Amino acid sequence: MMQINYLAFAIPLFLGFILLEFVLSKRMGKSVHQFAESIANLNVGITERLSDLLTAGLFYWVFDWIYQHGAVLSIQENVITWILLFLFTDFIWYWYHRCGHKVNLLWGFHVVHHQSEDFNYTTSTRITLLQSIARGLFWSVLPWIGFPPHMIFTFLLIHGTYPFFTHTTLVGKLGFLEWFMVTPSHHRVHHSSNKIYLDKNFGDILIIWDRLFGTFAEETEPPVYGLTKPLKSHSFLWQHFHFLLEMGLAFIVAHTWKQRWEIVFGKPDDLDPYFREEGEQLFHIHQKTGKLSLRLQQYILWTTGLTLLILFFTILWERYLSTPQLFFLSAWVIIHVISTGAMLEKKTWVFYLEYTKMYILLGLVFFSPIYPAFLWIIVLFLAFFTWYFRPIKQWYVQVLLTV
């Protein structure tokens, strides 16, 4: 019997809800999706799904090792312990999330989730590998207490699914659920840059922790989404590393170890905004590009769709893929998200990334059973694109990167 990874089906499931939200928003006359924002959001989500190939098994192994070698208690699986674990996981998530907003290093991992100036289901996909690692470190206390790893992973899946549905503006307040559950209204507050909403509503499933610890705020005025100081770029790399770069620049010029400690573990509000500006100048980050040509948008949609399809089957059949095949498929995904981010910025150097993707496809063919039969086709393909490199680049830039 074929062994497949059922987690792959999260991709079409979530994409289906994203499409449903888009259709409903149009019928309701609401504009909640911007093309560039949605693509940038999906790019982050695509890499997070890819990273799950590495982190899911690794974290299970870590949790199991802690449970086998250091568990304080031997907790048995029953109704009461399932309820207790649910409360524990949500409580730990609250503090992990709150620390993610209050500690510079953790904010450097989490900030990507808050960069989008849209608030819709695509925003929920903005989870990074570093954020997943930080979350896993917080959850490592659970196997130490004595909860079995399979129980913990069940709630990891629940906590990975429920928040998806709180990232929407199409759902209003939900009556009595507002008192104890995290609802879309509560989470809209959390993603807002309004002064009265800053650092509020950290809960993941239950809002009771915010009510208990004084971080609750009700939605009373229209939220303004994104960072207090918005990014100037849709670049995949800049979105991921800009705050860590700011910290690095500040760390270099700090005079004392106390100042360096505060740069790493202090509050994000205390980091001098000057270092963002210095980083933007260093990497030539400018204002977000305006109108994109219809042809460019269609090309980005087509390549994103192809990449999602590649990602789906890579996760689905991971057990049957060789290491070289996994490498080339992963390389395609990573280069795609970087290149589409550069396309949104209309960077002409993106052509070199797109050119590299062709060689990745050739690498996949080379490590597949059909390679010998297509050897001469591959040679001719390489010769053609090498000989006509400059004309192809000129055509690409002219067709795709001009309005």
Side-chain angles (χ1 to χ4, degrees):
M1 182 177 178
M2 179 175 285
Q3 293 181 320
I4 60 175
N5 187 345
Y6 290 98
L7 292 178
F9 291 100
I11 296 172
L13 177 66
F14 290 147
L15 284 177
F17 280 108
I18 289 171
L19 180 60
L20 177 62
E21 182 190 39
F22 177 76
V23 172
L24 289 177
S25 67
K26 292 299 182 183
R27 290 186 177 181
M28 297 168 67
K30 293 185 176 182
S31 179
V32 299
H33 296 83
Q34 299 179 68
F35 179 83
E37 289 286 329
S38 295
I39 293 297
N41 294 344
L42 287 174
N43 280 344
V44 179
I46 286 170
T47 52
E48 192 273 335
R49 288 288 93 190
L50 178 66
S51 68
D52 279 351
L53 286 175
L54 301 174
T55 57
L58 177 61
F59 277 122
Y60 191 91
W61 181 86
V62 170
F63 290 166
D64 186 64
W65 190 92
I66 295 172
Y67 178 73
Q68 297 293 338
H69 295 85
V72 176
L73 304 172
S74 180
I75 297 175
Q76 302 302 311
E77 184 178 353
N78 55 55
V79 174
I80 293 175
T81 55
W82 275 105
I83 294 173
L84 284 175
L85 182 57
F86 167 63
L87 294 174
F88 267 119
T89 55
D90 207 63
F91 179 73
I92 292 172
W93 191 292
Y94 168 84
W95 285 106
Y96 142 74
H97 198 178
R98 185 168 177 175
C99 289
H101 283 251
K102 295 294 186 179
V103 179
N104 277 333
L105 180 62
L106 297 179
W107 177 242
F109 303 160
H110 184 59
V111 65
V112 182
H113 186 64
H114 285 268
Q115 292 164 348
S116 178
E117 295 172 27
D118 283 352
F119 188 75
N120 52 52
Y121 285 157
T122 68
T123 310
S124 70
T125 66
R126 297 183 69 92
I127 307 295
T128 68
L129 172 61
L130 293 175
Q131 186 176 338
S132 298
I133 292 173
R135 179 181 61 202
L137 292 175
F138 273 77
W139 276 42
S140 294
V141 71
L142 296 170
W144 177 77
I145 293 172
F147 287 103
H150 74 274
M151 293 178 67
I152 299 171
F153 257 71
T154 299
F155 280 109
L156 267 177
L157 292 175
I158 293 171
H159 281 279
T161 303
Y162 179 82
F164 176 87
F165 297 99
T166 62
H167 290 79
T168 184
T169 61
L170 301 187
V171 177
K173 295 192 175 184
L174 298 177
F176 74 97
L177 294 178
E178 300 285 323
W179 287 99
F180 63 94
M181 298 289 291
V182 174
T183 65
S185 176
H186 295 329
H187 208 59
R188 286 194 291 270
V189 166
H190 178 70
H191 271 260
S192 303
S193 58
N194 307 46
K195 190 173 182 179
I196 63 170
Y197 293 156
L198 292 178
D199 294 332
K200 300 295 184 182
N201 298 0
F202 295 110
D204 194 56
I205 297 178
L206 299 175
I207 200 67
I208 58 174
W209 315 117
D210 289 285
R211 294 184 182 276
L212 283 172
F213 297 111
T215 54
F216 173 75
E218 187 176 356
E219 184 181 20
T220 56
E221 64 180 45
V224 178
Y225 301 110
L227 304 179
T228 53
K229 183 181 180 183
L231 289 185
K232 296 179 179 179
S233 174
H234 286 117
S235 164
F236 175 84
L237 294 175
W238 182 248
Q239 289 178 336
H240 272 71
F241 301 112
H242 77 90
F243 193 79
L244 296 176
L245 173 66
E246 293 170 41
M247 287 175 55
L249 293 173
F251 192 90
I252 291 171
V253 301
H255 298 292
T256 67
W257 282 107
K258 180 183 178 182
Q259 291 176 337
R260 295 186 180 98
W261 175 271
E262 291 173 347
I263 289 167
V264 177
F265 299 105
K267 296 180 180 180
D269 292 343
D270 296 335
L271 194 65
D272 194 333
Y274 162 78
F275 295 107
R276 166 82 69 83
E277 298 172 3
E278 186 176 355
E280 289 172 347
Q281 292 178 7
L282 183 63
F283 288 93
H284 306 287
I285 304 299
H286 306 293
Q287 291 293 336
K288 292 178 180 178
T289 305
K291 186 177 179 181
L292 303 173
S293 69
L294 178 61
R295 185 172 293 179
L296 178 57
Q297 292 183 49
Q298 291 173 339
Y299 180 75
I300 291 175
L301 283 174
W302 182 84
T303 55
T304 299
L306 175 62
T307 301
L308 285 166
L309 195 63
I310 290 173
L311 180 63
F312 172 75
F313 285 108
T314 299
I315 297 174
L316 188 70
W317 293 334
E318 61 166 313
R319 296 183 182 182
Y320 302 96
L321 297 172
S322 66
T323 300
Q325 288 172 331
L326 281 172
F327 171 80
F328 281 108
L329 288 167
S330 300
W332 170 282
V333 173
I334 296 300
I335 291 178
H336 163 80
V337 296
I338 296 173
S339 66
T340 51
M343 287 180 200
L344 295 175
E345 302 290 313
K346 296 185 179 179
K347 304 293 187 183
T348 56
W349 53 260
V350 73
F351 173 77
Y352 298 101
L353 295 180
E354 293 293 283
Y355 192 75
T356 303
K357 285 164 70 174
M358 297 181 185
Y359 285 88
I360 290 174
L361 289 178
L362 294 178
L364 281 171
V365 173
F366 182 84
F367 286 101
S368 69
I370 66 172
Y371 166 68
F374 286 85
L375 176 61
W376 289 108
I377 295 178
I378 293 173
V379 172
L380 291 173
F381 186 87
L382 286 171
F384 176 82
F385 276 94
T386 302
W387 186 263
Y388 291 102
F389 181 86
R390 286 189 178 181
I392 292 173
K393 178 185 176 182
Q394 292 174 353
W395 171 85
Y396 178 90
V397 172
Q398 182 179 2
V399 170
L400 288 182
L401 300 184
T402 56
V403 178

